[in-house]
């Protein structure tokens, strides 16, 4: 059954989200949304809860309380079909997490075939198209360990795209990369943004945030401290914590 | 004395002891008797070819039966030990502790004599079935721990990536985690196979027919009829020929594993 999605509602809505690990409260009531075709960059010091927030959006992390609404469906509802919802949410990890026992092609087709029940030829066609999109068509037969970090991350993006997601989550996608390999990954992400993909990006790349983001969110100590256009947050931060953070990294 | 000279002296003493021992063995041992009792070529020749075509083959068949039964059970136990459902974990842990603490011989006897009395039916497949169940139950306890360790050695990001693509937990386990886990644990599983080859020699306790005997029992019977130890030497040699290549294989695989795939 095709999923009918109302494009006027924000596809990602986070309401009063709390996450506690034991006695440590990592998220202290987050209210936040990402609108359709919007690119939101989340910045903040390490331990501020930004990765946890991202991982709560596709429920890789179980929120302690609060709601995450994906295209109108509450993914935090115990009765929600989380697996079906996740096929609409692409995710890219800091450590790439490609499947090392599978070739690049199989990395891109396994979930298409097992989850979406696509035929081999259909899955291969989709995979080929997405590999071309990230510029790695020549690596189709390679194994992940034979690729550079930048290439692995581009394959990981192609793998997520092959499921045909409506939105993409990026969890510090360039933090594990050598400096000279960061550019090729950011180029692919920039291309996605231009094509109108809804994106939520946890990043330390301020240049990327300034140039590509529609909105920048600054988090610290489990709360959203300040949000606005890149111009507002990065160039003229109102909040003292934002100013301190930016002065430390720039 | 400088440390270097001291070390040289110790080495010299060790070599002298070795040579003295060898000379003593050559001079004082009764080599003719040893040869007659352990290395009687005509007795050894008389065991061939059946010792290979039937009895060594039986040993391997029993080993495979026990290994496959044990591996299947071990996989279920390993998944139970990692289950979010408490009672499953406790059951699997109890099983592993129980069967690692009880001698294999005891398990075999219980399976052979206990099962028919309790359930009014023999285990199907005769000695083949006893081997599979009796030895498999024990091997499963060890292999379950190996498989569990292998699953836990696969980085958490692997199952997270699979789940983020919409795979159900079982799909992620079967398609993504287990293939990687098994690659990690091939060396210890091969070791378990070698141990099983040797443990099939315990099967004599349940009584065997001339045709279902395995290597050790056959050699033992031949030893009795010939009043000579040569048959057991032949058996030992055949065990060596089977297990040594496997042990080498394990070492090579471990080296390759250490270098990274």
């Amino acid at each position: 059954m095709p999923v009918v999605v109302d494009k006027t509602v924000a596809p990602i809505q986070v309401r009063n989200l709390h996450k506690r690990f034991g006695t440590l409260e990592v998220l202290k009531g987050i209210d936040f949304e990402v609108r359709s075709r919007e690119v939101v960059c989340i910045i903040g010091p390490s331990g501020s809860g930004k990765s946890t927030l991202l991982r709560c959006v596709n429920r890789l992390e179980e929120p302690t309380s609060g709601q995450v609404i994906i295209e109108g469906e509450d993914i935090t509802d115990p009765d929600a079909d989380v697996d079906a919802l996740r096929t609409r949410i692409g995710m890219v990890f800091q450590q790439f997490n490609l499947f090392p026992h599978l070739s690049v092609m199989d990395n891109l087709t396994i979930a298409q075939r097992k989850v979406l029940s696509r035929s081999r030829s259909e899955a291969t066609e989709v995979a080929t198209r997405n590999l071309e999109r990230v510029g790695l068509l020549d690596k189709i037969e390679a194994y992940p360990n034979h690729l550079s970090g930048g290439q692995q991350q581009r394959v990981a993006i192609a793998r997520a795209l092959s499921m045909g997601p409506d939105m993409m989550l990026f969890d510090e996608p360039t933090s594990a990369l050598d400096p000279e390999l960061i550019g090729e990954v950011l180029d692919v992400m920039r291309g996605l943004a231009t094509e109108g993909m809804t994106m939520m990006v946890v990043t330390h790349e301020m240049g990327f945030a300034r140039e590509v983001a529609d909105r920048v969110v600054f988090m610290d100590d489990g709360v959203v401290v300040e949000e606005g256009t890149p111009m507002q947050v990065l160039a003229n931060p109102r909040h003292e914590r934002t100013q301190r953070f930016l002065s430390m990294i720039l | 004395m400088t440390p270097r000279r001291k070390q040289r002296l110790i080495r010299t003493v060790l070599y002298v002891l070795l040579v003295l021992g060898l000379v003593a063995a050559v001079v004082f041992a009764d080599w003719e008797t040893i040869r007659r009792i352990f290395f009687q070529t005509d007795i050894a020749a008389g065991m061939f070819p059946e010792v290979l075509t039937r009895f060594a083959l039986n040993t391997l068949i029993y080993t495979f039966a026990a290994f496959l039964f044990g591996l299947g059970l071990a996989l279920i136990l390993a998944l139970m030990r990692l289950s979010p459902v408490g009672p499953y974990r406790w059951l699997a842990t109890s099983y592993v502790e129980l069967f690692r603490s009880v001698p294999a011989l005891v398990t075999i006897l219980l399976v052979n004599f206990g099962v028919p009395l309790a359930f009014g039916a023999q285990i199907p497949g005769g000695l083949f079935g006893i081997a599979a169940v009796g030895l498999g139950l024990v091997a499963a306890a060890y292999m379950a721990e190996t498989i569990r360790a292998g699953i836990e050695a696969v980085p958490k990001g692997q199952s997270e990536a699979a789940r983020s693509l919409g795979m159900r937990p079982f799909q992620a386990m079967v398609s993504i985690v287990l293939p990687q886990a098994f690659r990690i644990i091939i060396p210890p599983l091969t070791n378990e196979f070698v141990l099983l080859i040797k443990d099939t020699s315990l099967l004599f306790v349940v009584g065997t027919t001339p045709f279902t005997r395995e290597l050790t029992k056959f050699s033992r019977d031949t030893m009795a009829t010939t009043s000579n130890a040569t048959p057991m030497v032949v058996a030992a040699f055949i065990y060596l020929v089977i297990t040594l290549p496997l042990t080498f294989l394990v070492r090579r695989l471990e080296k390759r594993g250490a270098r990274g795939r």
Side-chain angles (χ1 to χ4, degrees):
Chain A
M1 196 175 62
V3 184
V4 183
V5 176
D6 182 355
K7 290 288 183 189
T8 57
V9 226
I12 303 176
Q13 297 175 27
V14 176
R15 291 178 193 160
N16 195 22
L17 193 73
H18 288 261
K19 173 65 188 179
R20 201 174 289 119
F21 291 105
T23 55
L24 182 71
E25 193 168 28
V26 180
L27 298 178
K28 301 173 180 171
I30 305 280
D31 285 285
F32 166 85
E33 62 175 41
V34 181
R35 290 182 285 272
S36 188
R37 303 171 73 84
E38 190 181 29
V39 178
V40 175
C41 282
I42 302 171
I43 62 170
S46 60
S48 58
K50 51 197 194 308
S51 281
T52 305
L53 169 61
L54 192 81
R55 290 162 58 83
C56 281
V57 168
N58 69 352
R59 225 174 117 184
L60 273 187
E61 214 68 76
E62 202 68 50
T64 308
S65 67
Q67 286 177 307
V68 177
I69 318 284
I70 300 296
E71 297 181 328
E73 288 179 61
D74 185 355
I75 196 172
T76 50
D77 184 334
D79 291 329
D81 187 348
V82 180
D83 297 324
L85 279 168
R86 280 179 180 151
T87 63
R88 294 191 247 150
I89 313 170
M91 174 123 182
V92 175
F93 299 85
Q94 180 177 355
Q95 299 295 340
F96 329 136
N97 295 348
L98 292 179
F99 306 133
H101 63 301
L102 300 177
S103 69
V104 166
M105 178 50 98
D106 290 340
N107 263 278
L108 268 61
T109 54
I110 188 164
Q112 292 189 63
R113 300 185 59 199
K114 298 217 180 269
V115 179
L116 303 177
S117 310
R118 288 180 184 158
S119 70
R120 181 185 287 277
S121 61
E122 191 187 359
T124 305
E125 195 194 308
V126 172
T128 310
R129 199 178 335 118
N130 284 304
L131 267 185
E132 198 169 9
R133 192 168 176 182
V134 301
L136 287 172
L137 204 48
D138 56 324
K139 301 293 182 191
I140 204 160
E141 298 297 332
Y143 278 80
N145 292 355
H146 295 139
L147 303 178
S148 72
Q151 290 170 334
Q152 288 193 47
Q153 194 60 299
R154 283 148 69 197
V155 170
I157 294 172
R159 178 176 69 180
L161 291 174
S162 293
M163 301 298 284
D166 297 336
M167 64 201 81
M168 291 281 285
L169 310 178
F170 292 85
D171 188 5
E172 303 199 25
T174 57
S175 296
L177 295 174
D178 290 337
E180 75 272 20
L181 302 176
I182 290 174
E184 59 188 78
V185 173
L186 293 182
D187 283 345
V188 169
M189 291 169 63
R190 196 173 288 123
L192 275 178
T194 313
E195 290 166 35
M197 177 61 81
T198 305
M199 291 163 66
M200 185 170 164
V201 185
V202 171
T203 188
H204 294 293
E205 293 295 324
M206 294 305 144
F208 178 81
R210 186 179 303 118
E211 180 198 344
V212 181
D214 299 303
R215 194 147 50 91
V216 173
V217 174
F218 173 72
M219 277 181 72
D220 192 12
D221 201 23
V223 295
V224 171
V225 176
E226 142 164 39
E227 60 179 306
T229 64
M231 203 56 185
Q232 288 167 346
V233 177
L234 297 177
N236 304 300
R238 281 167 298 152
H239 212 284
E240 184 265 332
R241 272 144 96 186
T242 321
Q243 292 164 1
R244 188 147 32 97
F245 172 71
L246 289 172
S247 70
M248 268 156 62
I249 60 158
L250 290 178
Chain B
M1 211 186 305
T2 67
R4 194 151 120 216
R5 290 192 58 174
K6 198 167 159 187
Q7 222 169 29
R8 203 182 300 166
L9 185 70
I10 291 171
R11 279 178 79 95
T12 314
V13 170
L14 287 175
Y15 273 110
V16 168
L17 281 176
L18 179 67
V19 170
L20 283 179
L22 285 174
V23 168
V26 169
V27 172
F28 296 114
D30 180 356
W31 285 104
E32 178 45 35
T33 308
I34 288 174
R35 196 201 60 78
R36 193 161 40 77
I37 300 299
F38 291 101
F39 302 100
Q40 193 89 284
T41 39
D42 51 330
I43 290 178
M47 295 168 73
F48 286 88
E50 296 80 38
V51 67
L52 290 179
T53 55
R54 190 186 303 281
F55 302 110
L57 187 65
N58 278 346
T59 289
L60 283 177
I61 289 172
Y62 299 146
T63 308
F64 271 110
F67 187 75
L68 291 181
F69 180 87
L71 190 64
L73 185 58
L75 184 57
I76 295 169
L77 286 167
L79 294 177
M80 282 172 70
R81 283 208 68 161
L82 297 169
S83 164
V85 184
Y88 278 154
R89 289 199 303 273
W90 307 328
L91 268 175
T93 309
S94 312
Y95 180 96
V96 169
E97 293 307 328
L98 176 66
F99 280 91
R100 286 205 302 192
S101 313
V102 175
L105 196 57
V106 172
T107 308
I108 293 171
L109 288 170
L110 279 174
V111 166
N112 186 54
F113 297 107
V115 169
L117 290 176
F119 301 99
Q122 278 286 352
I123 288 178
L127 197 60
F128 185 77
I130 304 280
V133 178
L135 288 172
L137 285 175
V138 180
Y142 290 93
M143 290 197 280
E145 285 298 274
T146 306
I147 296 173
R148 181 180 63 92
I151 291 173
E152 286 179 339
V154 176
K156 201 158 167 275
Q158 289 293 311
S159 58
E160 284 185 353
R163 298 301 308 280
S164 79
L165 292 165
M167 287 192 196
R168 286 178 281 108
F170 185 74
Q171 279 177 327
M173 179 58 79
V174 170
S175 311
I176 304 302
V177 178
L178 281 182
Q180 296 182 58
F182 270 98
R183 211 167 290 194
I184 298 170
I185 61 175
I186 282 173
L189 281 187
T190 314
N191 270 332
E192 185 59 35
F193 190 82
V194 169
L195 290 177
L196 268 176
I197 292 174
K198 297 188 286 182
D199 279 354
T200 53
S201 61
L202 297 171
L203 287 170
F204 79 91
V205 291
V206 303
T208 46
T209 71
F211 294 112
T212 62
R213 287 177 292 180
E214 42 65 58
L215 201 48
T216 304
K217 174 67 170 149
F218 167 69
S219 300
R220 191 159 162 249
D221 293 347
T222 317
M223 204 161 65
T225 54
T226 57
S227 303
N228 191 284
T230 306
M232 210 45 94
V233 173
V234 171
F237 180 73
I238 294 173
Y239 279 118
L240 201 66
V241 168
I242 298 173
T243 54
L244 215 51
L246 286 171
T247 325
F248 270 122
L249 182 73
V250 170
R251 206 168 303 159
R252 279 197 53 175
L253 288 172
E254 276 173 346
K255 247 185 215 159
R256 212 180 66 180
R259 265 191 283 125
R261 273 163 280 140

